[in-house]
Amino acid sequence: MIIDCHGHYTTAPKALEEWRNKQIANLSTPELGPKVADLKISDDELRESIETNQLRLMKERGSDLTIFSPRASFMAHHIGDFNTSATWAAICNELCARVSQLFPDHFIGAAMLPQSPGVDPATSISELEKCVKEYGMVGINLNPDPSGGHWTSPPLSDKSWYPIYEKMVEYEIPAMIHVSTSCNACFHTTGAHYLNADTTAFMQCLTSDLFKDFPTLKFLIPHGGGAVPYHWGRFRGLAQEMKKPLLTEHLLNNIFFDTCVYHQPGIDLLTEVMPVKNVLFASEMIGAVRGIDPETGHYYDDTRRYIEAANLTNVDRANIFEHNARRVFPRLDAALKEKGL
């Protein structure tokens, strides 16, 4: 089985974006803004948006199941206040849940949280609980920088995040550490802010003892871990100077990386530097990089072919494609076992 652990609903019907634009236009007068009931998207519209896009490519490229969450750049936690984010998160999560209900063999949900700058992360717990208990979602996306590129929140090791971590441990769900749109002109959203955040989140964990407090907590750092594999010697050396344990003990029981790395040398480096047990297959297709690589003639985000071409054993590939995801996402594993898979 090939499980893609990183999918976003980037092809949602246009009505979703139109509703959001109206919400943003009325931030100072929310009573004049759109009501949740004003957004009407039929099952047929959802089916069309998926069948002609993600599902079509999944079938063409040979993947079976996608862990599916709201569009990352649309989270935009820096816009409005907590109530703005709470309403928006609930709408986006419900749509992903509906997609999973319409295509249960191909999609399973992960939730965005209604984070907001300066607001206690614990306020997101009710949405987290709803998505796990009512929608059967198997993970969350956690934004370490709700300010959108200004980094006004405390690091992930700060105790203000602990209520979220306690729920993650209770429900056995991992968090993909994923920022949203950058509103800082210094940082391009997908080319800089995303990769900066991946690296920053790893370093925040390295400099702390977070996983002593939460030994079963799991973070998935996307986009191949940002700079982490490429600068693994730097991180090992810094940890050594800080008198931290070896990174294999300090972090690699809790931190995992996906394969949203869009060229063969990058995947080769990732799988050579990182233990195979820490690498999960992902494509984020119809995401940040959608074009065809002129050097290969294939789509950049057709990541399965990179794993197939890497210097890996068949056992390694099976772990990257399926078994690591089932281990990191226990609720996914349980859902598949219920289906006899």
Side-chain angles (χ1 to χ4, degrees), residues 173-245:
I173 56 172
M176 177 175 283
I177 306 300
H178 208 309
V179 289
S180 185
T181 301
S182 171
C183 59
N184 184 334
C186 295
F187 304 116
H188 183 276
T189 294
T190 53
H193 186 40
Y194 282 14
L195 304 182
N196 294 346
D198 300 334
T199 309
T200 298
F202 183 85
M203 195 65 199
Q204 289 178 1
C205 294
L206 187 153
T207 56
S208 74
D209 294 312
L210 173 62
F211 300 122
K212 286 185 178 178
D213 288 345
F214 295 97
T216 62
L217 187 68
K218 292 182 174 66
F219 287 161
L220 178 60
I221 299 184
H223 319 116
V228 174
Y230 189 67
H231 287 287
W232 192 237
R234 174 181 290 260
F235 293 113
R236 288 175 52 237
L238 289 170
Q240 183 174 311
E241 290 179 14
M242 295 175 195
K243 310 300 182 186
K244 297 293 184 182

Side-chain angles (χ1 to χ4, degrees), residues 3 6 13 56 78 93 103 124 139 146-147 151 154 156 171-172 188 218 241 245 257 280 326:
I3 300 170
H6 189 167
R56 173 180 61 83
H78 62 278
N93 286 331
F103 302 96
S124 293
S147 70
W151 291 93
L156 291 169
Y171 291 138
E172 292 189 295
H188 183 276
K218 292 182 174 66
E241 290 179 14
F257 308 91
L280 279 65
R326 296 179 75 139

Side-chain angles (χ1 to χ4, degrees), residues 19 68 90 168 177 188 190 196 232 269 282 305 328 336:
W19 189 96
F68 204 55
M168 288 171 57
I177 306 300
H188 183 276
T190 53
N196 294 346
W232 192 237
L269 175 74
R305 63 178 58 251
V328 174
L336 291 174

Side-chain angles (χ1 to χ4, degrees), residues 4-308:
D4 187 335
C5 72
H6 189 167
H8 298 300
Y9 198 2
T10 57
T11 62
K14 194 71 174 176
L16 179 66
E17 183 176 1
E18 292 170 351
W19 189 96
R20 175 63 161 172
N21 289 339
K22 292 176 183 176
Q23 184 194 38
I24 293 171
N26 288 277
L27 289 177
S28 60
T29 55
E31 68 279 3
L32 302 178
K35 305 297 185 287
V36 173
D38 294 339
L39 178 62
K40 300 186 186 303
I41 298 176
S42 69
D43 285 354
D44 285 343
E45 290 176 290
L46 293 181
R47 287 191 188 93
E48 182 181 7
S49 72
I50 294 295
E51 288 174 343
T52 59
N53 292 294
Q54 282 89 351
L55 188 56
R56 173 180 61 83
L57 291 176
M58 287 170 66
K59 291 178 177 178
E60 288 178 4
R61 299 178 186 181
S63 63
D64 300 301
L65 177 70
T66 297
I67 298 175
F68 204 55
S69 63
R71 185 174 179 177
S73 62
F74 267 26
M75 295 191 299
H77 293 120
H78 62 278
I79 293 176
D81 57 16
F82 174 76
N83 290 327
T84 307
S85 287
T87 302
W88 179 233
I91 286 173
C92 292
N93 286 331
E94 183 186 30
L95 285 180
C96 287
R98 287 174 62 191
V99 168
S100 298
Q101 291 163 0
L102 291 170
F103 302 96
D105 293 334
H106 298 289
F107 296 91
I108 194 164
M112 69 176 274
L113 300 180
Q115 298 175 247
S116 189
V119 177
D120 186 346
T123 56
S124 293
I125 286 176
S126 61
E127 182 68 17
L128 183 159
E129 291 183 320
K130 180 188 73 176
C131 288
V132 172
K133 293 179 178 179
E134 297 181 20
Y135 297 156
M137 291 188 171
V138 299
I140 60 171
N141 291 342
L142 186 66
N143 185 351
D145 174 37
S147 70
H150 293 285
W151 291 93
T152 57
S153 294
L156 291 169
S157 55
D158 188 83
K159 284 186 166 52
S160 62
W161 297 99
Y162 276 29
I164 296 287
Y165 301 158
E166 289 164 2
K167 283 297 174 183
M168 288 171 57
V169 169
E170 177 185 348
Y171 291 138
E172 292 189 295
I173 56 172
M176 177 175 283
I177 306 300
H178 208 309
V179 289
S180 185
T181 301
S182 171
C183 59
N184 184 334
C186 295
F187 304 116
H188 183 276
T189 294
T190 53
H193 186 40
Y194 282 14
L195 304 182
N196 294 346
D198 300 334
T199 309
T200 298
F202 183 85
M203 195 65 199
Q204 289 178 1
C205 294
L206 187 153
T207 56
S208 74
D209 294 312
L210 173 62
F211 300 122
K212 286 185 178 178
D213 288 345
F214 295 97
T216 62
L217 187 68
K218 292 182 174 66
F219 287 161
L220 178 60
I221 299 184
H223 319 116
V228 174
Y230 189 67
H231 287 287
W232 192 237
R234 174 181 290 260
F235 293 113
R236 288 175 52 237
L238 289 170
Q240 183 174 311
E241 290 179 14
M242 295 175 195
K243 310 300 182 186
K244 297 293 184 182
L246 295 175
L247 291 186
T248 50
E249 304 166 18
H250 185 47
L251 298 181
L252 293 189
N253 292 318
N254 306 89
I255 290 181
F256 303 85
F257 308 91
D258 76 14
T259 63
C260 291
V261 180
Y262 297 140
H263 64 150
Q264 190 67 51
I267 290 292
D268 293 342
L269 175 74
L270 174 66
T271 54
E272 180 180 347
V273 172
M274 290 298 157
V276 165
K277 72 179 183 67
N278 290 87
V279 179
L280 279 65
F281 176 72
S283 70
E284 200 180 1
M285 66 183 180
I286 316 186
V289 183
R290 305 186 183 191
I292 293 175
D293 184 345
E295 295 181 4
T296 66
H298 299 290
Y299 284 93
Y300 287 101
D301 62 2
D302 186 0
T303 52
R304 176 180 173 174
R305 63 178 58 251
Y306 305 139
I307 304 302
E308 297 286 6

